[in-house]
Amino acid sequence: MHIRSFDERIDGINWQPSVVPTRQMIDSVLGSRLPRKPRSAVLSLAGAVSGIAVGVGLKGMTLAGSPWGPGTGLTGALAGTLALTGLALSVAAAGYAAARGQEAPRLMQFASMNLLMIVVLLLS
């Protein structure tokens, strides 16, 4: 930002409008813009990894040969509950991010990658 000296303040008293903008006007316009935050690859990677974990859990619930598939007892019930809870949280996070996309762009980035990985694994 531009700091006005004593001489610039005195000159401001005798200021006449002109075509050229003053330094103070330029600083006020440029200073009012919010800096852009670059997207983080870490959020996409975290969303992908958690989506893969939930997707594998959900896919394994339907496969007969998996350790947490049908007929595996308590292990299957616990793993299935965790997978379904992960799916419910993923859908809830995506819904919240869609509703509040402007306020939470980082959550939108995470949730979209998370749901993408879940859908890809379930469709494979």
Side-chain angles (χ1 to χ4, degrees):
M1 294 298 292
H2 180 71
I3 299 173
R4 292 174 43 156
S5 68
F6 179 75
D7 292 331
E8 288 175 329
R9 290 180 190 169
I10 296 295
D11 290 340
I13 294 172
N14 298 325
W15 179 75
Q16 296 294 323
S18 67
V19 179
V20 179
T22 64
R23 183 71 183 154
Q24 182 181 9
M25 181 64 75
I26 292 171
D27 284 345
S28 69
V29 169
L30 293 179
S32 66
R33 294 184 183 161
L34 296 174
R36 290 188 58 164
K37 294 180 184 176
R39 293 188 178 247
S40 173
V42 174
L43 287 174
S44 293
L45 182 63
V49 169
S50 65
I52 289 170
V54 171
V56 166
L58 291 171
K59 188 78 168 183
M61 286 174 54
T62 60
L63 298 176
S66 71
W68 60 91
T72 55
L74 184 60
T75 305
L78 290 175
T81 302
L82 285 174
L84 290 173
T85 303
L87 177 65
L89 288 175
S90 297
V91 170
Y96 180 78
R100 307 278 184 187
Q102 295 296 325
E103 297 171 9
R106 297 172 70 88
L107 178 62
M108 176 67 90
Q109 183 181 359
F110 174 83
S112 62
M113 185 59 83
N114 189 359
L115 280 182
L116 176 68
M117 288 297 117
I118 292 172
V119 168
V120 165
L121 281 169
L122 290 179
L123 291 177
S124 66

